[in-house]
């Protein structure tokens, strides 16, 4: 059992907090939580060596690992994991250390947690790491999640797909990464497509990107409205969508979409191995402009 010094005992006595060291549960933040949240690695290691339980929790079930990941303290997170911290611990709100890492934008913590067996999604009703990264524009975290084989079309009923969330919050770098990883350009929230979400915003660049990846400009949502019909009247977005309605896809665009669809998401990484000129392989991976064809 860890020994508390006089200062700590007085603090807990004054605040009236009850300690339950044997069960590994605290009624409030422990010294481990403080050290992890502040990135004090030496103090953290000292506390662990004294016998503090790395899985001790607050009233809200926050663990020191949650704190380390939220603070982007990779060294502290690694030390806790090596000491047996639960990589998939959840707070009373269902938040995991992986969610906190994605919320902070700590790609290093994300990679570390996945290395130790973190699950990208425990239940569909719980906060989702990939949706959090997508909404906040943390594309580096997305890269790590994708490299570990996460489902880029993971559906959360009240949020929709990660692509839909990224479009809603106009996170173009995340949108691009999801699409390049094979995200379904039509999968949104219920009948709302990512293009519907983008059409309600102001970025014509995002509209162009979605359309280049084959977004259906005529898709109808639950109110039977097409993307152009949810756009702000007389806006640049509405004008762009009207232009696309009157302009069919080029043969080059159709061929690229057809090849990528035939390959499927699981084999998109094999494009560089195709027996094709580099220019064509770059084109299939959206690294080459269509104007060069």
């Amino acid at each position: 059992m860890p020994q508390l010094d006089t200062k700590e005992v007085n603090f807990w006595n004054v605040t009236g907090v009850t300690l339950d060291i044997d069960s590994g549960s605290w009624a409030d933040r422990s010294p481990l939580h403080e050290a992890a949240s502040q990135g004090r690695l030496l103090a953290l290691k000292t506390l662990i060596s004294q016998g503090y339980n790395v899985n001790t929790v607050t009233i809200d079930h926050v663990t020191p690992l949650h704190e380390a990941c939220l603070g982007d303290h990779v060294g502290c997170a690694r030390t806790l994991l090596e000491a047996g911290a639960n990589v998939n611990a959840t707070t009373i709100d269902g938040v995991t250390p992986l969610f906190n890492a994605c919320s902070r934008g700590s790609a290093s913590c994300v990679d570390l947690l996945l290395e130790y067996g973190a699950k990208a999604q425990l239940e569909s009703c719980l906060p989702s790491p990939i949706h959090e990264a997508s909404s906040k524009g943390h594309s580096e975290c997305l890269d790590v999640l994708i490299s570990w084989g996460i489902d880029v079309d993971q559906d959360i009923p009240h949020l929709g797909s990660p692509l839909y969330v990224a479009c809603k919050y106009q996170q173009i770098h995340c949108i691009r990464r999801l699409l390049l990883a094979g995200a379904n350009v039509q999968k949104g929230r219920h009948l709302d497509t990512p293009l519907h979400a983008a059409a309600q915003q102001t970025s014509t660049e995002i509209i162009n990107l979605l359309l280049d990846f084959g977004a259906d400009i005529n898709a109808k949502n639950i109110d039977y409205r097409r993307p152009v019909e949810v756009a702000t009247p007389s806006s640049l977005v509405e004008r762009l969508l009207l232009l696309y309605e009157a302009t069919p896809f080029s043969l080059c665009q159709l061929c690229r979409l057809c090849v990528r669809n035939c390959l499927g998401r699981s084999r998109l990484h094999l494009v560089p191995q195709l027996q094709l000129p580099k220019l064509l392989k770059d084109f299939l991976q959206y690294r080459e402009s269509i104007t060069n064809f």
Side-chain angles (χ1 to χ4, degrees), residues 25 158 171 200:
S25 176
H158 64 286
Q171 302 294 355
Q200 297 177 62

Side-chain angles (χ1 to χ4, degrees), residues 41-113:
L41 183 57
L42 181 59
L44 188 73
K45 289 182 176 180
T46 300
L47 290 168
I48 292 174
S49 69
Q50 291 176 352
Y52 280 86
N53 189 334
V54 294
N55 287 309
T56 189
V57 296
T58 66
I59 293 176
D60 294 330
H61 288 195
V62 175
T63 68
L65 184 58
H66 280 98
E67 297 281 17
C69 293
L70 190 60
D72 188 21
H73 302 308
V74 184
C76 290
R78 183 178 294 279
T79 296
L80 289 165
L81 289 166
E82 290 174 347
N86 181 2
V87 72
N88 289 308
T90 58
T91 67
I92 59 172
D93 296 319
V95 170
T96 62
L98 184 59
F99 180 91
N100 274 359
C102 288
S103 182
R104 175 59 186 264
S106 176
S108 297
C109 280
V110 170
D111 194 43
L112 175 66
L113 293 167

Side-chain angles (χ1 to χ4, degrees), residues 101-235:
C102 288
S103 182
R104 175 59 186 264
S106 176
S108 297
C109 280
V110 170
D111 194 43
L112 175 66
L113 293 167
L114 291 169
E115 178 186 335
Y116 273 82
K119 296 180 180 179
Q121 186 63 31
L122 299 179
E123 296 177 24
S124 62
C125 61
L126 297 181
S128 163
I130 189 172
H131 287 76
E132 181 72 0
S134 299
S135 69
K136 292 195 172 180
H138 297 317
S139 54
E140 295 83 0
C141 291
L142 268 185
D143 286 338
V144 176
L145 290 169
I146 291 169
S147 71
W148 279 84
I150 193 172
D151 180 9
V152 292
D153 286 330
Q154 190 177 98
D155 183 53
I156 303 295
H158 64 286
L159 294 176
S161 68
L163 181 59
Y164 181 85
V165 169
C167 289
K168 180 179 178 181
Y169 290 97
Q170 300 187 83
Q171 302 294 355
I172 189 166
H173 295 299
C174 290
I175 294 169
R176 183 178 295 279
R177 280 168 168 75
L178 289 166
L179 289 170
L180 288 173
N184 185 343
V185 73
Q186 292 302 121
K187 189 174 179 62
R189 180 174 177 270
H190 305 308
L191 292 180
D192 262 1
T193 67
L195 189 58
H196 280 94
Q200 297 177 62
Q201 307 301 328
T202 60
S203 175
T204 55
E205 190 176 359
I206 291 176
I207 298 293
N208 277 317
L209 182 59
L210 291 171
L211 291 169
D212 280 347
F213 275 85
D216 184 0
I217 202 166
N218 292 311
K220 295 182 179 180
N221 62 13
I222 195 170
D223 298 317
Y224 299 98
R225 301 175 72 189
R226 295 175 295 123
V228 69
E229 294 169 331
V230 301
T232 302
S234 302
S235 65

